[in-house]
Amino acid sequence: MLLRRSACAKFILGGEHSVVHRGRAIALPLPSLRLEVAESETPGLRVNGVVRPASDAQKIEELRTLIGRSTETANERNRPPGLDITSEIPLASGLGSSAALCVAMARLVTAREGQELTGAPLAELAWRGESLFHGKSSGVDPWTVALEQALFFRAADHSHRALSLESFRTSGLCFVLESSGRPHSTKEIVEAVGELREKTPLIWEDLIDALSTNAENMARAFESDPAQLGRLINDTHFRLQQLGVSDSGIDTVVGRMKDSGALGAKLTGAGRGGFVLGLFHRADLDAYLDNRPPPADGCSAFVWEL
Ligand code: PMV
């Protein structure tokens, strides 16, 4: 029997980059936006129907090995020779495509062994796999995607708390996620932030502390007074700019969102390309979406609401 498993997208509300080094992050799943991996009798790797080179297929094999609880078993040796990946999640854009791939693969690999992993064990396996794409990964992406819950996440020990959604549900607010026009490499940007630490350690410490504190305050605001998120989102974007991970494409979308009534707007994920999030009153949403110019990369905008 051919198996298939999927996983969702996510976005980071606050704590990107600071969570790699210390502290916490807050991230939310996008359950309707998904990536699926499906076994196939046709050898080779296809992504959205396009045959990929042998080097990509090799990377998927490395991922299997990293996730690898079962590479030596008969089930694993007898698995079908091909794989199809179908993704609605824009690649390399801060919406968790690599975490979704790792979670979906961890689900597929363990399902083939007859163990449907969920929760923490699934997240830990996916996190192991994500190091292939991110280098040093904090774990916030695979945990949010594996649990499909809004999480306040602590990187040091992977402890996490599912956030209460009630205040946000009644707030009349929503998040809009929009592409800045180009993809990014999380690994390269995380490395660049690490290099900045060497060059200007005091400034770096201040920024990382501020980002971490903002993430903690965001978790409180999300659960008690979501309109307060606007100020925290704007301050977080300012700090990320100072950390050198914004760019003109991101800042253009941030400016447009604020001009259209967003309470706050910031990059989400690693930055230097990728997606931007804005916090909007639902009443202002249609006007914003109807008037936005066609994005350079053709990516849709996504809305997160309860
Ligand atoms: O891959 P992205 O763009 O979702 O970035 C992940 C967030 C970082 O904090 C930059 C990296 C990490 O592992 O937490």
Side-chain angles (χ1 to χ4, degrees), residues 61-99:
E61 284 312 307
E62 285 174 42
L63 177 59
R64 270 186 206 274
T65 309
L66 273 178
I67 289 171
R69 292 155 60 97
S70 52
T71 43
E72 295 307 318
T73 68
N75 279 348
E76 179 65 15
R77 276 198 300 276
N78 295 334
R79 71 180 148 83
L83 192 74
D84 283 292
I85 300 176
T86 314
S87 182
E88 302 163 340
I89 307 173
L91 296 180
S93 61
L95 295 188
S97 56
S98 58

Side-chain angles (χ1 to χ4, degrees), residues 128-176:
R128 235 190 271 169
E130 211 193 26
S131 63
L132 194 61
F133 304 98
H134 275 206
K136 185 178 178 188
S137 157
S138 69
V140 64
D141 290 4
W143 279 83
T144 305
V145 170
L147 273 58
E148 286 198 25
Q149 285 179 328
L151 291 187
F152 185 47
F153 179 84
R154 200 171 95 116
D157 56 2
H158 291 177
S159 60
H160 57 277
R161 184 168 69 75
L163 295 169
S164 161
L165 304 178
E166 281 323 301
S167 286
F168 200 89
R169 201 186 302 283
T170 53
S171 66
L173 297 171
C174 62
F175 293 109
V176 175

